[in-house]
Amino acid sequence: MGAVEHPGDLPPVEVSLSNKDMRSGTANHSILSIREEEEAGNFLRSIPTRESLQCPRGSVMSFHNIQYTIKQSHGPLCKRTTVEKKVLHNVCLLDVLAARKDPAGLSGQVLIDGFPQPPNFKCISGYVVQDDVVMGTLTVRENLLFSAALRLPSSISFKEKEERVTQIISELGLSKVADAKVGTELIRGVSGGERKRTNIGMELITEPPVLFLDEPTTGLDASTANAVLILLKRLSRRGRTIIFSIHQPRYSIFKLFDSLTLLALGKVLYHGLAKQALKYFSSIGYQCEPFNNPADFFLDVINGDSTAVAASRGDQRSLDNGGTGGGVISDEEQNVDKSVVETLHEQYLNSSQYRDMREELKKVELSQQNEQGKLRSMNKVTYANGFFTQLYWVSIRAIKNLIRNPQASVAQIAVTTLLALIVGAIFFRVKLDQSGIQNRVGSLFFVTSNQCFSSVSAIELFIKDKKLFVHQYTSGYYRVSAYFFALMIGDLLPMRTLPGIIFSCISYWMIGYQAVAGRFFFFMLTLVLVSYTATAMSLAISAGMNVVAIANLFITICFVFMLIFSGLLVNLPSVMGWLNWLKYFSIPRYGLTALQVNEFRDLYFCGEEPQKITASPGDVADCSSNATQFGEMCYGETYLCSQGIPSTNWAMWENIVALGCMTAIFLLIAYGKLRFMKKFT
């Protein structure tokens, strides 16, 4: 079993635990020897099998010459300079071992059972992230079954997958809460410890050769954290390799460690058996005080603020300040801390632990001489199931999440219904007079704008569940395309279609538009398409973003400018030519224009329609003709012509086609941003 411990002010300190022991030397060469009694074989498995599930075995991990370089930019945009900087001490080694680090700037080699790490290692191994990545609206069993359905191959029957889920639930002690929802901000769910065990179970479904955990005790009280670590210890004794990071563990947790790796400023300060760590530090002059937690003692030594460090360097100032270094750390004291790390690193290089580790590493290096220094690509993602299986399960999850999330479903329907009633009451029974023209245009503008702004809620789709998507995609749960289409099925179709239908059914008849079935259904179609297009634009803008507020700001600004060119606030034919082209990017304009043609054709606003006319108003197809011959603003066609809108059937349907094309373009942009977004830390 393995762990990573972090000190207060310095970079990460690595603490590793395994079901046997680990041996390591420097940050350049380390080996994690897990199951010495087993013969190390070539690790080439791409997906779980029945045999791998029935006979779990840990794998031997070793890493060689790991280096990491980042590019830092300085200065203003016009004079920006880029500098490369080695920041191994800023790299979480856990991410490197788990193949979850951006390979750009990363060099070196990680071996599994003495062979190069397979390109799809992140899909084969298990990785429990610090933040929970389970669907809170699903039950514990449903979350685990989701993992089993997508990560176990189709060669394993669904019944066997259900049995595997039941086995994991029993092994993790989750039987009592198996059918309870995990919980969200609005839904009361399981406890923190049970939630963490559910996250662990999601990864144990495939019986991974190595299980990584990023600070599994985060957010847990001391008792619950201890219970989780005891569980991990028990799992490691059953043939699993477990490596994790942790913050300042209590002694009851520390004594569970089998092996210990301490890192600071990118250098290894100790690697070996955890129970021998105190003896080692004592041998180099750092004595742990009675009743002090060894984990706290190690962190104090590395930070340079313990009484042991003060006694070692004869610095009485630290003792006078209670062993804390005086509170405020000066530049001189920071340099002393660096010298402490350098000293500890040199002492470790001269230790017997390092020499023993180097001897074992040589055996691995001899078999991999031709591969040393080459870091294999870790970008490959493999899947255990096909596209349609993934689409089915992700869609089922999306629909369940929608039904069980009242904030997203019930509340939106209720607000839509209330708003439709209010709009219907304000514009109730519009008349066929001059006021009827204004009221009709105003009501059509309002319903079109409402469909746009009500779609802003879609920005949470990609942002809220971004961590969940990134983790599950890189772990091989599903393809980007399956996730994208499942969201369309689970959100775009129901939550953008149903509100439009409800709003149309209520407002259309209350306002008193033309009581013709064809016009009513065209009204409904237009509202739904406007909602689709606005939602697609929201998704295109928010995809890849991390903050909802920023995405919300961008989308709101876009809609405000679109409203200006919608055709109500400004007469579009009067806009200067060099600005007039902006109207083609206005979603409300297409919706409002289609609805105006649909409603104003064949309407007469000057009392009774005259019986003797030379031409039918419906025949006025060309606005260049003298439409005022039918009376000044008496015919709906006259108003349409004043707005530069022809009163033909194509004048309606061309806007529908435009909305459909814009929806497709925005969805393509959203998919592209999801497909090519950075999915590594």
Side-chain angles (χ1 to χ4, degrees):
M1 192 166 71
V4 180
E5 186 179 342
H6 298 270
D9 300 323
L10 287 180
V13 176
E14 300 283 345
V15 182
S16 302
L17 301 127
S18 66
N19 61 334
K20 276 294 178 183
D21 78 295
M22 288 183 187
R23 283 182 281 280
S24 167
T26 68
N28 295 332
H29 302 279
S30 298
I31 184 168
L32 312 183
S33 184
I34 310 302
R35 291 177 60 91
E36 297 176 349
E37 74 280 3
E38 294 187 6
E39 180 181 358
N42 191 355
F43 185 77
L44 295 177
R45 190 187 63 175
S46 59
I47 59 175
T49 62
R50 287 188 179 88
E51 292 72 19
S52 66
L53 295 179
Q54 295 171 358
C55 303
R57 65 175 296 273
S59 293
V60 178
M61 296 193 65
S62 63
F63 52 98
H64 310 256
N65 301 312
I66 296 295
Q67 300 290 336
Y68 193 62
T69 304
I70 64 171
K71 294 182 179 180
Q72 293 182 327
S73 299
H74 302 279
L77 291 175
C78 57
K79 296 182 179 180
R80 178 158 294 186
T81 58
T82 303
V83 179
E84 289 191 353
K85 181 181 179 182
K86 282 190 176 182
V87 286
L88 179 61
H89 58 276
N90 285 335
V91 176
C92 178
L93 186 60
L94 194 74
D95 290 341
V96 176
L97 294 178
R100 303 271 175 160
K101 204 68 182 175
D102 187 353
L106 185 62
S107 63
Q109 189 179 45
V110 178
L111 302 181
I112 309 297
D113 292 331
F115 291 85
Q117 201 174 25
N120 67 331
F121 181 70
K122 58 181 174 292
C123 302
I124 304 169
S125 59
Y127 190 86
V128 180
V129 297
Q130 182 176 355
D131 299 320
D132 294 329
V133 285
V134 290
M135 189 65 72
T137 53
L138 302 185
T139 66
V140 172
R141 188 184 304 277
E142 288 172 338
N143 274 292
L144 296 180
L145 186 59
F146 178 81
S147 178
L150 294 180
R151 302 185 73 186
L152 296 181
S154 56
S155 59
I156 299 176
S157 67
F158 184 72
K159 182 179 180 181
E160 290 177 297
K161 293 178 181 179
E162 289 181 316
E163 292 173 352
R164 176 64 179 167
V165 169
T166 302
Q167 176 189 346
I168 294 297
I169 289 175
S170 176
E171 190 173 12
L172 297 180
L174 294 171
S175 300
K176 293 183 178 180
V177 295
D179 297 312
K181 293 184 179 66
V182 174
T184 64
E185 298 86 352
L186 301 176
I187 303 174
R188 183 177 179 85
V190 299
S191 66
E194 291 163 342
R195 190 183 186 95
K196 182 63 67 174
R197 279 181 277 167
T198 302
N199 279 269
I200 296 173
M202 295 279 287
E203 303 303 316
L204 289 181
I205 285 292
T206 60
E207 201 61 70
V210 184
L211 176 63
F212 300 94
L213 302 97
D214 185 11
E215 300 181 16
T217 59
T218 298
L220 305 180
D221 58 68
S223 177
T224 305
N226 188 60
V228 170
L229 266 294
I230 291 176
L231 169 66
L232 294 177
K233 181 72 172 183
R234 186 170 66 250
L235 294 176
S236 72
R237 289 294 181 240
R238 295 178 182 176
R240 298 180 176 96
T241 300
I242 300 177
I243 305 173
F244 62 90
S245 61
I246 192 170
H247 267 296
Q248 291 183 291
R250 55 190 283 190
Y251 178 68
S252 61
I253 292 177
F254 177 81
K255 69 180 182 180
L256 299 174
F257 298 169
D258 296 306
S259 293
L260 181 69
T261 303
L262 301 176
L263 293 181
L265 300 178
K267 301 180 183 298
V268 175
L269 309 183
Y270 175 79
H271 185 84
L273 295 177
K275 60 184 179 182
Q276 295 181 358
L278 285 178
K279 182 179 179 181
Y280 166 77
F281 275 89
S282 178
S283 68
I284 60 175
Y286 298 96
Q287 189 68 40
C288 181
E289 298 174 336
F291 310 109
N292 191 8
N293 181 6
D296 293 335
F297 168 72
F298 297 143
L299 298 181
D300 288 342
V301 170
I302 295 170
N303 278 310
D305 58 1
S306 72
T307 55
V309 177
S312 175
R313 67 190 180 195
D315 189 354
Q316 292 301 321
R317 291 176 300 171
S318 184
L319 289 172
D320 295 338
N321 288 296
T324 62
V328 178
I329 303 177
S330 65
D331 293 338
E332 180 182 356
E333 288 172 322
Q334 288 181 351
N335 292 331
V336 171
D337 290 342
K338 292 181 180 179
S339 67
V340 170
V341 172
E342 292 288 345
T343 301
L344 291 173
H345 177 60
E346 291 296 330
Q347 289 174 325
Y348 173 70
L349 294 181
N350 296 323
S351 67
S352 59
Q353 284 86 352
Y354 175 75
R355 290 192 296 270
D356 293 341
M357 180 277 305
R358 287 298 303 155
E359 289 298 323
E360 189 164 352
L361 271 176
K362 287 180 181 179
K363 301 176 184 178
V364 178
E365 292 172 351
L366 287 175
S367 63
Q368 295 295 325
Q369 285 181 353
N370 296 330
E371 297 289 338
Q372 286 294 335
K374 300 178 182 179
L375 187 68
R376 297 182 58 164
S377 173
M378 293 292 109
N379 289 330
K380 185 176 181 181
V381 178
T382 56
Y383 308 98
N385 293 276
F387 169 80
F388 290 104
T389 300
Q390 297 171 1
L391 178 63
Y392 171 78
W393 282 98
V394 182
S395 299
I396 290 296
R397 185 183 69 171
I399 293 173
K400 286 183 178 179
N401 180 57
L402 178 66
I403 295 174
R404 297 175 184 179
N405 191 346
Q407 186 180 24
S409 55
V410 178
Q412 187 167 349
I413 298 298
V415 170
T416 298
T417 303
L418 179 62
L419 193 59
L421 291 172
I422 294 176
V423 173
I426 293 175
F427 297 98
F428 189 73
R429 295 298 178 189
V430 290
K431 299 178 180 179
L432 286 172
D433 55 17
Q434 295 300 306
S435 67
I437 298 177
Q438 180 181 359
N439 289 338
R440 278 177 170 80
V441 175
S443 61
L444 293 176
F445 174 79
F446 181 86
V447 298
T448 305
S449 304
N450 174 67
Q451 292 303 110
C452 289
F453 283 101
S454 63
S455 301
V456 174
S457 60
I459 63 177
E460 294 187 359
L461 274 179
F462 290 148
I463 298 178
K464 185 178 180 181
D465 294 330
K466 181 180 179 180
K467 291 182 179 179
L468 176 68
F469 160 68
V470 170
H471 172 73
Q472 294 186 343
Y473 166 74
T474 55
S475 298
Y477 280 75
Y478 42 71
R479 296 168 174 81
V480 174
S481 55
Y483 175 77
F484 183 80
F485 285 114
L487 282 188
M488 299 303 101
I489 295 173
D491 181 88
L492 184 62
L493 291 181
M495 293 313 299
R496 310 303 159 184
T497 304
L498 188 59
I501 293 175
I502 294 175
F503 195 94
S504 300
C505 292
I506 297 175
S507 62
Y508 189 91
W509 304 109
M510 287 186 67
I511 294 175
Y513 296 133
Q514 294 195 53
V516 179
R519 296 181 187 270
F520 166 71
F521 286 112
F522 185 87
F523 178 89
M524 181 186 297
L525 173 65
T526 304
L527 289 194
V528 171
L529 276 180
V530 168
S531 181
Y532 281 3
T533 310
T535 300
M537 191 190 79
S538 300
L539 295 178
I541 293 176
S542 63
M545 286 191 173
N546 297 316
V547 182
V548 174
I550 296 178
N552 198 357
L553 177 63
F554 277 120
I555 294 170
T556 302
I557 292 175
C558 290
F559 281 148
V560 168
F561 278 100
M562 287 182 178
L563 289 179
I564 295 176
F565 289 90
S566 64
L568 176 70
L569 302 179
V570 62
N571 186 271
L572 294 179
S574 67
V575 177
M576 292 178 290
W578 63 279
L579 282 177
N580 194 263
W581 58 272
L582 290 173
K583 68 183 181 181
Y584 296 109
F585 296 94
S586 174
I587 297 174
R589 169 184 168 269
Y590 292 112
L592 181 59
T593 301
L595 292 178
Q596 286 183 130
V597 176
N598 180 61
E599 174 61 21
F600 277 88
R601 283 201 308 178
D602 303 326
L603 285 184
Y604 186 75
F605 297 99
C606 296
E608 290 190 14
E609 187 173 357
Q611 299 296 319
K612 295 181 180 180
I613 53 178
T614 58
S616 172
D619 296 333
V620 182
D622 187 1
C623 284
S624 62
S625 62
N626 186 14
T628 58
Q629 62 182 309
F630 305 114
E632 185 177 358
M633 283 300 183
C634 286
Y635 291 98
E637 288 82 355
T638 307
Y639 171 78
L640 293 177
C641 286
S642 70
Q643 300 297 314
I645 305 172
S647 55
T648 62
N649 286 330
W650 175 241
M652 292 194 308
W653 290 103
E654 68 177 351
N655 294 283
I656 300 300
V657 173
L659 290 173
C661 292
M662 291 182 72
T663 300
I665 293 172
F666 282 131
L667 289 178
L668 188 61
I669 294 173
Y671 174 78
K673 292 178 69 174
L674 275 185
R675 181 69 178 83
F676 298 106
M677 68 181 283
K678 183 179 179 181
K679 300 180 180 69
F680 292 91
T681 56

